[in-house]
Amino acid sequence: AQKVTQAQTEISVVEKEDVTLDCVYETRDTTYYLFWYKQPPSGELVFLIRRNSFDEQNEISGRYSWNFQKSTSSFNFTITASQVVDSAVYFCALLFGNEKLTFGTGTRLTIIP
Amino acid sequence: GAVVSQHPSRVICKSGTSVKIECRSLDFQATTMFWYRQFPKQSLMLMATSNEGSKATYEQGVEKDKFLINHASLTLSTLTVTSAHPEDSSFYICSAYTLLSEAFFGQGTRLTVV
């Protein structure tokens, strides 16, 4: 069975601080994909990143970076120099084959000006 | 990147009426689309898998006669909430995968049944 755990329900940080959102997943499969999505108050899900299980390279995109570690089944997301516009709910998700996405419960991030 | 368009973004309907929500993949073909439901401050729960040219596959506990899904073409899936009731008020969102297994989502539809 697939499972995604986002233990942090809510996080608040002051603007310009760095913040890391944790994601731990469970799967018996060797081939899978991991995703991060941002859901701002307007509701739409914004695709941030997809990572396949064979690519453990960390990725940086502007202020965003992702740390994928298969040894600990984690795919953590860090926002550097946070901004108020980063306030949203962030979901981590797992995809096996072409089956449905399994979502974590989300982390509500609030950036305090 | 690939775009999934969902319409309408918001709808208010009277109890007992039906509402149709459209989900289109704009620049790629999607043989499979997925419909999710999200209650306030909760995660997304998969309702059903929409398969082009065949019947949808519903998750346990989802009434197939209430949530009618039609996937008539490779770029369009529709979800019809039949005889809507206030408890059906929710945020509905669709998704589709590209051939590279990138999952993109529509903008979502906020349904309010009064």
Side-chain angles (χ1 to χ4, degrees), chain B residues 55-92:
Chain B
K55 291 183 179 180
T57 304
Y58 290 83
E59 295 299 299
Q60 192 173 9
V62 177
E63 299 176 58
K64 62 180 181 181
D65 294 330
K66 180 167 191 60
F67 299 101
L68 299 179
I69 291 173
N70 184 276
H71 196 150
S73 75
L74 288 172
T75 59
L76 174 64
S77 175
T78 60
L79 168 68
T80 301
V81 183
T82 62
S83 187
H85 289 96
E87 57 265 30
D88 297 326
S89 298
S90 189
F91 187 70
Y92 295 87

Coordinates of all heavy atoms in Angstrom, one line a residue, chain B residues 55-92:
Chain B
K55 N -16.2 2.7 -19.0 CA -16.8 3.2 -17.7 C -15.8 3.6 -16.7 O -14.7 3.1 -16.7 CB -17.7 2.0 -17.1 CG -18.9 1.7 -17.9 CD -19.7 0.6 -17.1 CE -21.0 0.2 -17.9 NZ -21.8 -0.8 -17.2
A56 N -16.2 4.6 -15.9 CA -15.3 5.1 -14.9 C -15.2 4.1 -13.7 O -16.1 3.2 -13.5 CB -15.8 6.4 -14.3
T57 N -14.1 4.1 -13.0 CA -13.9 3.3 -11.9 C -14.0 4.2 -10.6 O -13.3 5.1 -10.5 CB -12.5 2.7 -11.9 OG1 -12.3 2.0 -13.1 CG2 -12.3 1.8 -10.7
Y58 N -14.9 3.8 -9.8 CA -15.2 4.6 -8.6 C -14.5 4.0 -7.4 O -14.4 2.8 -7.2 CB -16.8 4.6 -8.3 CG -17.5 5.4 -9.4 CD1 -17.8 4.9 -10.6 CD2 -17.8 6.8 -9.2 CE1 -18.5 5.6 -11.6 CE2 -18.5 7.5 -10.1 CZ -18.8 6.9 -11.3 OH -19.4 7.7 -12.3
E59 N -14.1 4.9 -6.5 CA -13.6 4.5 -5.2 C -14.7 4.0 -4.3 O -15.9 4.4 -4.4 CB -12.8 5.7 -4.6 CG -11.6 6.1 -5.4 CD -10.6 5.0 -5.5 OE1 -10.0 4.5 -4.5 OE2 -10.3 4.6 -6.7
Q60 N -14.3 3.3 -3.3 CA -15.2 2.7 -2.4 C -15.9 3.9 -1.7 O -15.3 4.8 -1.2 CB -14.5 1.9 -1.4 CG -15.4 1.0 -0.5 CD -14.6 0.0 0.4 OE1 -13.4 0.1 0.4 NE2 -15.3 -0.9 1.0
G61 N -17.2 3.8 -1.6 CA -18.0 4.8 -0.9 C -18.5 5.9 -1.8 O -19.3 6.7 -1.3
V62 N -18.1 5.9 -3.0 CA -18.6 7.0 -3.9 C -19.7 6.4 -4.7 O -19.6 5.4 -5.4 CB -17.4 7.4 -4.8 CG1 -17.9 8.5 -5.8 CG2 -16.3 8.0 -4.0
E63 N -20.9 7.1 -4.7 CA -22.0 6.7 -5.4 C -21.9 6.9 -6.9 O -22.0 8.1 -7.3 CB -23.3 7.3 -4.9 CG -23.6 7.1 -3.4 CD -24.7 7.9 -2.9 OE1 -25.8 7.7 -3.5 OE2 -24.6 8.7 -2.0
K64 N -21.9 5.9 -7.7 CA -21.7 6.1 -9.1 C -22.9 6.7 -9.8 O -22.8 7.4 -10.8 CB -21.3 4.8 -9.8 CG -22.3 3.7 -9.7 CD -21.8 2.5 -10.4 CE -22.8 1.4 -10.3 NZ -22.3 0.1 -11.0
D65 N -24.1 6.5 -9.2 CA -25.3 7.0 -9.8 C -25.5 8.5 -9.4 O -26.3 9.2 -10.1 CB -26.5 6.2 -9.3 CG -26.5 4.8 -9.8 OD1 -26.0 4.6 -10.9 OD2 -27.0 3.9 -9.1
K66 N -24.8 8.9 -8.4 CA -24.9 10.3 -8.0 C -23.8 11.2 -8.7 O -24.0 12.3 -9.1 CB -24.7 10.4 -6.5 CG -24.8 11.9 -6.1 CD -24.9 12.0 -4.6 CE -25.3 13.4 -4.1 NZ -26.6 13.8 -4.7
F67 N -22.7 10.6 -8.9 CA -21.5 11.3 -9.5 C -21.3 10.6 -10.9 O -20.5 9.6 -11.0 CB -20.3 11.3 -8.6 CG -20.5 11.9 -7.3 CD1 -20.7 11.2 -6.2 CD2 -20.4 13.3 -7.2 CE1 -20.9 11.8 -5.0 CE2 -20.6 14.0 -6.0 CZ -20.9 13.2 -4.9
L68 N -21.9 11.1 -11.9 CA -21.8 10.5 -13.2 C -20.6 11.1 -14.0 O -20.4 12.2 -14.0 CB -23.1 10.8 -14.1 CG -24.4 10.3 -13.5 CD1 -25.5 10.7 -14.4 CD2 -24.3 8.8 -13.3
I69 N -19.8 10.1 -14.5 CA -18.6 10.5 -15.2 C -18.6 10.0 -16.6 O -18.9 8.9 -16.9 CB -17.3 10.0 -14.4 CG1 -17.2 10.7 -13.1 CG2 -16.1 10.2 -15.3 CD1 -16.1 10.1 -12.3
N70 N -18.3 11.0 -17.5 CA -18.3 10.6 -18.9 C -17.0 11.1 -19.5 O -16.6 12.3 -19.3 CB -19.4 11.3 -19.6 CG -19.5 10.9 -21.1 OD1 -18.8 11.5 -21.9 ND2 -20.3 9.9 -21.4
H71 N -16.3 10.2 -20.2 CA -15.0 10.6 -20.8 C -15.1 10.3 -22.3 O -14.6 9.3 -22.8 CB -13.9 9.7 -20.1 CG -12.5 10.2 -20.3 ND1 -11.5 10.0 -19.4 CD2 -11.9 10.9 -21.4 CE1 -10.4 10.5 -19.9 NE2 -10.6 11.1 -21.0
A72 N -15.7 11.2 -22.9 CA -16.1 11.0 -24.3 C -15.0 11.2 -25.3 O -15.1 10.6 -26.4 CB -17.2 12.0 -24.7
S73 N -14.0 11.9 -25.0 CA -12.8 12.1 -25.9 C -11.5 12.0 -25.1 O -11.5 12.0 -23.9 CB -13.0 13.4 -26.6 OG -12.6 14.5 -25.8
L74 N -10.4 12.1 -25.8 CA -9.1 12.0 -25.2 C -8.8 13.3 -24.5 O -7.7 13.4 -23.9 CB -8.1 11.7 -26.3 CG -8.1 10.3 -26.8 CD1 -7.1 10.1 -27.9 CD2 -7.7 9.3 -25.7
T75 N -9.6 14.4 -24.6 CA -9.3 15.6 -24.0 C -10.4 16.1 -23.1 O -10.3 17.2 -22.5 CB -9.0 16.7 -25.0 OG1 -10.1 16.8 -25.9 CG2 -7.8 16.3 -25.9
L76 N -11.4 15.4 -22.9 CA -12.6 15.9 -22.1 C -13.2 14.8 -21.2 O -13.5 13.7 -21.7 CB -13.7 16.4 -23.0 CG -15.0 16.9 -22.4 CD1 -14.7 18.1 -21.4 CD2 -16.0 17.2 -23.4
S77 N -13.3 15.1 -20.0 CA -14.0 14.3 -19.0 C -15.0 15.2 -18.3 O -14.7 16.4 -18.0 CB -13.1 13.6 -18.0 OG -13.8 12.9 -17.0
T78 N -16.2 14.7 -18.0 CA -17.2 15.5 -17.3 C -17.7 14.7 -16.1 O -17.8 13.5 -16.1 CB -18.4 15.8 -18.2 OG1 -19.0 14.6 -18.6 CG2 -18.0 16.7 -19.4
L79 N -17.9 15.5 -15.0 CA -18.5 15.0 -13.8 C -19.8 15.7 -13.6 O -19.9 16.9 -13.5 CB -17.5 15.3 -12.6 CG -18.1 15.0 -11.2 CD1 -18.4 13.6 -11.0 CD2 -17.2 15.6 -10.1
T80 N -20.9 14.9 -13.5 CA -22.2 15.5 -13.2 C -22.6 15.0 -11.8 O -22.7 13.8 -11.5 CB -23.2 15.0 -14.3 OG1 -22.8 15.4 -15.6 CG2 -24.6 15.6 -14.0
V81 N -22.9 16.0 -11.0 CA -23.4 15.8 -9.7 C -25.0 15.8 -9.8 O -25.5 16.9 -10.1 CB -23.0 16.8 -8.6 CG1 -23.5 16.5 -7.2 CG2 -21.4 16.9 -8.6
T82 N -25.6 14.7 -9.7 CA -27.0 14.6 -9.9 C -27.8 14.8 -8.6 O -27.3 14.3 -7.5 CB -27.4 13.2 -10.5 OG1 -27.1 12.2 -9.6 CG2 -26.7 13.0 -11.8
S83 N -28.9 15.4 -8.7 CA -29.8 15.7 -7.6 C -28.9 16.1 -6.4 O -28.9 15.5 -5.3 CB -30.6 14.4 -7.2 OG -31.5 14.6 -6.2
A84 N -28.3 17.2 -6.6 CA -27.3 17.7 -5.6 C -28.0 18.1 -4.3 O -29.2 18.6 -4.3 CB -26.6 18.9 -6.1
H85 N -27.3 17.8 -3.2 CA -27.8 18.2 -1.8 C -26.7 19.0 -1.1 O -25.6 19.0 -1.6 CB -28.2 16.9 -1.0 CG -29.4 16.3 -1.5 ND1 -29.4 15.2 -2.4 CD2 -30.7 16.5 -1.3 CE1 -30.6 14.8 -2.6 NE2 -31.4 15.6 -2.0
P86 N -27.1 19.7 -0.1 CA -26.1 20.6 0.6 C -24.8 19.8 1.0 O -23.7 20.4 1.0 CB -26.9 21.1 1.8 CG -28.3 21.2 1.3 CD -28.5 20.0 0.4
E87 N -25.0 18.5 1.3 CA -23.8 17.8 1.7 C -22.8 17.5 0.6 O -21.7 17.1 0.8 CB -24.2 16.5 2.4 CG -25.0 15.6 1.6 CD -26.5 15.7 1.9 OE1 -26.9 16.9 2.2 OE2 -27.2 14.7 1.7
D88 N -23.3 17.8 -0.7 CA -22.4 17.6 -1.8 C -21.5 18.9 -2.0 O -20.7 18.9 -2.9 CB -23.2 17.4 -3.1 CG -24.0 16.1 -3.0 OD1 -23.5 15.1 -2.4 OD2 -25.1 16.0 -3.5
S89 N -21.8 19.9 -1.3 CA -21.0 21.1 -1.4 C -19.6 20.8 -1.1 O -19.3 20.3 0.0 CB -21.6 22.2 -0.5 OG -22.9 22.6 -0.8
S90 N -18.7 21.2 -2.0 CA -17.3 20.8 -1.8 C -16.5 21.4 -2.9 O -17.0 22.1 -3.8 CB -17.2 19.3 -1.8 OG -15.9 18.9 -1.4
F91 N -15.2 21.1 -2.9 CA -14.3 21.6 -3.9 C -13.9 20.3 -4.7 O -13.4 19.3 -4.2 CB -13.1 22.2 -3.3 CG -12.1 22.8 -4.3 CD1 -12.4 24.0 -4.9 CD2 -10.9 22.3 -4.5 CE1 -11.6 24.6 -5.8 CE2 -10.0 22.9 -5.4 CZ -10.3 24.0 -6.1
Y92 N -14.3 20.4 -6.0 CA -14.0 19.2 -6.9 C -12.9 19.6 -7.9 O -12.9 20.7 -8.4 CB -15.3 18.9 -7.7 CG -16.4 18.4 -6.8 CD1 -17.3 19.3 -6.2 CD2 -16.5 17.0 -6.6 CE1 -18.3 18.8 -5.4 CE2 -17.6 16.6 -5.7 CZ -18.4 17.5 -5.2 OH -19.4 17.0 -4.4

